[in-house]
Amino acid sequence: MNSKIRYTRPAHHASCFGGTAMNQENTTANSVLKTLQEIKGLNETSHAFERTIADFVTANTFSEIEPILDKFTTNDDPHIGFIAFCALCEGHRRVKNYKKQEEILKNLHKQHDPQNHPFITHLELLYYIDNFDYRHYDDYITILQKAQSHANSEDFTQNAGAHHLFADLVAIVFEYAFSHNRPAPSNTWLQYGIDAVNRAISKSNGYAKYYCTKARLLAFEKKYEDSAMLIKEAINLEDSSKKDYTIRVNEYLNHLQMIRVKQSQDQVEKLDSLVNEIQQELQRSTVKSIEFVGLFAGIVSFTIGSISLLGDSTFA
């Protein structure tokens, strides 16, 4: 089977006699099932598996397919059920219903063994992408290590999405530390992240988001102009025909604004450092001037005193 699956949004057909809601629902359910069966032919550790599920969810109105996917989670074919769970996770993630996404992940764990389905770890790491906050920052090293091991595992080492996922998490951790005045992670993690996103780009050249992630990471190496160019590249690579095109471009522009803010802050810090150096130099110069004046005054006093003593001695 080709790794790229063609599908269309489930159509709502009406019969020549007017049709019924039941017929419409059956048509939609059959269309969804057909797509799930086609996805079943893909290796779940491949990037094509993840991208096909994401494209399927994006191409449809999620509120329409959600109840159908929910029913398919208990399908007689457990693999169809697993894929339905994956699609539900992706759908709730895209509509930013993170509480429901977390609930789906818990149910997925109950019904499917992660040992048999390594993509479950991928879904768990995607959850951190959208929900990383103060609860996770203190444990960021464990999360990054898990993502790095996932990307380098035998199952996912050829998967561009897994390498990007790790790089994305590295960027998120650094950005969280920057915006919340928390201690910055080791630059070793930054280099790991850059290496990972470069691997993702080499394995899936032309995927826009990867260039944005690389731009975010390079900003923490203070390569601001390179970052800006990569953001522009990401915007140019986005497919304007996709439903989420505007959302994606706005996301890239928000990252560009964040990069510019960081660049401005670095310039202010450099200026503050220069001002401090000048002030310290002035202070040292002032001290030296005061010491010189004190020495000069001492010499004058000694001279006057000597003259006075000499005078007393002469008239004695």
Side-chain angles (χ1 to χ4, degrees), residues 84-210:
F85 268 121
C86 295
L88 283 170
C89 275
E90 180 65 19
H92 287 298
R93 176 173 176 258
R94 286 184 177 267
V95 298
K96 302 186 185 302
N97 188 347
Y98 302 129
K99 192 169 184 179
K100 190 68 176 177
Q101 180 189 7
E102 185 176 10
E103 179 185 320
I104 294 295
L105 278 171
K106 288 179 180 178
N107 289 333
L108 179 56
H109 260 282
K110 291 177 182 177
Q111 297 192 35
H112 298 276
D113 186 353
Q115 295 294 326
N116 298 327
H117 291 286
F119 191 71
I120 293 177
T121 298
H122 198 84
L123 292 174
E124 290 171 341
L125 291 169
L126 281 172
Y127 176 78
Y128 285 121
I129 293 287
D130 301 298
N131 294 276
F132 192 89
D133 58 21
Y134 68 93
R135 296 171 301 171
H136 308 122
Y137 181 79
D138 292 336
D139 199 31
Y140 77 81
I141 291 179
T142 301
I143 294 171
L144 292 182
Q145 287 174 338
K146 182 177 182 179
Q148 188 178 41
S149 296
H150 174 67
N152 294 331
S153 67
E154 185 177 350
D155 288 328
F156 284 88
T157 188
Q158 297 302 319
N159 186 324
H163 292 286
H164 174 259
L165 179 55
F166 168 58
D168 199 357
L169 277 168
V170 172
I172 286 171
V173 171
F174 272 83
E175 288 165 350
Y176 183 89
F178 171 73
S179 60
H180 291 80
N181 294 318
R182 300 295 295 271
S186 165
N187 281 338
T188 301
W189 283 114
L190 185 61
Q191 191 55 56
Y192 286 155
I194 293 171
D195 291 343
V197 78
N198 283 336
R199 283 194 293 273
I201 290 172
S202 69
K203 294 176 187 298
S204 185
N205 191 28
Y207 190 56
K209 190 173 182 179
Y210 295 176

Side-chain angles (χ1 to χ4, degrees), residues 10-15 18-31 64 68:
H12 293 283
H13 299 294
S15 72
T20 64
M22 182 65 72
N23 288 335
Q24 293 174 356
E25 183 178 337
N26 288 339
T27 301
T28 305
N30 289 335
S31 179
E64 293 179 3
I68 299 170

